[in-house]
Amino acid sequence: MKRWVSVVVVVVVAVVAAFWWFTHRSSATAATQYLTSTVKQGDVTSTIAATGSVGAASTYSLAFGSTTETTSTSTSSGSSGSSGSSGNGGSGSSSGDTVASVSVAVGQHVRAGTVLATLDASGSDAAVAAATAAVTSAQAQVVAAQSNLRSTQSKIASQTSTSALVASAQAQLAADQAQLVVDQQRLASAKAKLAADQAAVPPVAAAVIAADELAVAQAQQSVARDQVSISNDEAALASAKNGSATAASNQAQLAQARASVTQAENQVLSAKASLATARTSASATSITAPVDGVVTAVNLTVGQSPPSGAAIVERSDALTVVVDVAEQDVATLKVGQIAQVTISAVSATVPATITTLPTQANSSSSGSGAVTFPLSLQLSTDPEGVLPGMTASVAIVTATAKNVLYVPTTAIQGTSPNTDVQVMVDGQPQATPVSIGLSTNSSTEIISGVQAGQVVVTGVVNPVASTGTTGGVGGLSGRGGLGGGGGGFVGPRNGG
């Protein structure tokens, strides 16, 4: 019995001794393992990444005679814009015009200059005819007023005696009375023609009625002018018989004649302005596409009057991208910077240029903690199949250090200007001060302190602990040495 007890004791002692030797040998032989990288030479690039959506660069609200352009600005929703008008041929259509044709539909692509819709402008043509006749009448009144002025001047110049003045005044009175009879007859004839044309079956053209009405108006003006002339002649005759009032009468007649000329000339200017307006309206008989683009709305029906607002809406082919960037990145942005835009929906990546810088933060970011700013970019080309509203990912290069020494950012310890790296010398890390330049999430430029090819520590792998727990990969802690405990690599210190 004692023999078996002795054997068991020996075995237990041997097992304990073996376990002690094994665990202590493992702890002694397990050395710290370092994650390393070499100092390299190349480019370090800082990039801003953002997401947003595609939108139309410009939208055009088209009407007969006007075009209003709304350009996309730095708004996340793309709903706001700045407006400016440019003519499409006139200032608007006549209220009597109707739509003659509509040659496009919503979703159709059109080229710049394509006629999209036309008007039946017969009402505008009649307005032009009436305005033209009014100009002719006003010009005739100028000729008559100038003739009357010359006659008055001649009459005054030829005055030699009271008897001659009386005779001249009587002759002028008789002439004007005769002219009144002629003009009254012309007025009666014009009224009769107007009444006949208005009662005609079938009805006569609107332009003919307008011309008749103009003729009546002109005849009435002539009669009124004759009556004024007769009244003036009677006053002149009375003045001629009163020699003392002759000079004052002459001056009054000259002033009135000159005023009549001025009034007639002003009527010509007004009539010409009305004619220009009528011609402009008549010329606005079509809507054309101002740019290459896609029709997004058609508010026209053939046979009906056009709307007072937009008749057709077109968005340009040119596309823009609006993204939200973090507030710390705004200061690094400049108009003209090139970015790469990826539109996943059509599997395309194209260059884009920053066109508009932010002016204020997005209203939606207030109170949310993360403040963002809207940024607009113009696509250099439009990928096939891309549509407004599609999601876009943007990468903007904000800084580049070319052909420089660099190390992984995880190798940097401390804060600039007091930074260093751990250089491996004979298998052991040695702290080496360095001056750094451009730093991104992944790489940091080294200005001085190390040379290309040197090996630097980027992290450590912890040894197996004596307690039997599993170790892990450790990163570099702050300035002052290598980090020990598990937990992975130390995260980036600054954005890129």
Side-chain angles (χ1 to χ4, degrees), residues 296-370:
T296 59
V298 177
N299 303 315
L300 293 173
T301 302
V302 174
Q304 296 184 6
S305 298
S308 58
I312 294 175
V313 179
E314 178 194 1
R315 69 164 175 82
S316 64
D317 279 345
L319 296 177
T320 188
V321 173
V322 179
V323 297
D324 294 333
V325 296
E327 58 182 329
Q328 63 267 26
D329 293 329
V330 172
T332 64
L333 301 173
K334 297 179 181 179
V335 171
Q337 278 180 320
I338 302 300
Q340 294 295 320
V341 177
T342 299
I343 304 171
S344 300
V346 295
S347 301
T349 299
V350 296
T353 303
I354 295 178
T355 56
T356 306
L357 293 178
T359 57
Q360 62 181 15
N362 287 315
S363 57
S364 60
S365 65
S366 60
S368 65

Side-chain angles (χ1 to χ4, degrees), residues 1-14:
M1 184 67 180
K2 292 181 179 180
R3 180 182 178 187
W4 283 105
V5 172
S6 299
V7 171
V8 170
V9 172
V10 171
V11 171
V12 171
V13 172

Side-chain angles (χ1 to χ4, degrees), residues 243-301:
S244 61
T246 299
S249 175
N250 288 343
Q251 293 301 317
Q253 291 180 42
L254 283 174
Q256 184 176 6
R258 291 189 179 103
S260 296
V261 171
T262 300
Q263 182 180 5
E265 291 174 342
N266 290 337
Q267 289 177 347
V268 169
L269 294 177
S270 177
K272 285 182 176 180
S274 298
L275 175 59
T277 299
R279 284 175 173 170
T280 299
S281 296
S283 67
T285 57
S286 65
I287 295 177
T288 58
V291 296
D292 293 355
V294 176
V295 175
T296 59
V298 177
N299 303 315
L300 293 173
T301 302

Side-chain angles (χ1 to χ4, degrees), residues 40 50-51 58 95 106 126 173 268-269 290 326 465:
K40 300 178 181 178
T51 59
S58 298
S95 59
V106 173
L173 175 61
V268 169
L269 294 177

Side-chain angles (χ1 to χ4, degrees), residues 372-390:
T372 60
F373 288 76
L375 180 70
S376 291
L377 305 96
Q378 182 75 51
L379 294 179
S380 60
T381 59
D382 300 336
E384 183 177 357
V386 67
L387 294 173
M390 287 184 173

Side-chain angles (χ1 to χ4, degrees), residues 399-456:
T400 300
K402 291 185 173 296
N403 196 27
V404 297
L405 297 179
Y406 68 91
V407 297
T409 298
T410 53
I412 303 297
Q413 298 184 58
T415 303
S416 182
N418 300 315
T419 53
D420 58 40
V421 296
Q422 298 288 331
V423 178
M424 294 298 292
V425 178
D426 296 329
Q428 295 298 319
Q430 291 185 0
T432 303
V434 292
S435 297
I436 63 173
L438 179 63
S439 183
T440 72
N441 281 344
S442 59
S443 302
T444 296
E445 175 190 2
I446 300 297
I447 298 175
S448 64
V450 294
Q451 297 178 351
Q454 286 186 292
V455 177
V456 296

Side-chain angles (χ1 to χ4, degrees), residues 142-239:
V142 170
V143 172
Q146 290 173 337
S147 177
N148 181 61
L149 174 61
R150 288 192 297 269
S151 175
T152 300
Q153 291 170 332
S154 177
K155 178 179 65 175
I156 292 174
S158 63
Q159 290 176 351
T160 55
S161 64
T162 300
S163 58
L165 292 175
V166 169
S168 174
Q170 289 174 335
Q172 183 64 46
L173 175 61
D176 289 338
Q177 288 172 336
Q179 183 63 45
L180 174 61
V181 173
V182 172
D183 290 337
Q184 287 174 334
Q185 292 174 347
R186 184 162 67 91
L187 174 60
S189 175
K191 288 182 176 180
K193 186 175 184 305
L194 173 60
D197 288 340
Q198 289 174 333
V201 178
V204 300
V208 174
I209 296 298
D212 290 344
E213 291 173 342
L214 178 62
V216 170
Q218 291 175 338
Q220 289 173 333
Q221 291 176 352
S222 297
V223 169
R225 186 170 58 251
D226 293 339
Q227 291 172 338
V228 171
S229 297
I230 290 173
S231 177
N232 293 336
D233 293 341
E234 290 173 344
L237 178 58
S239 178

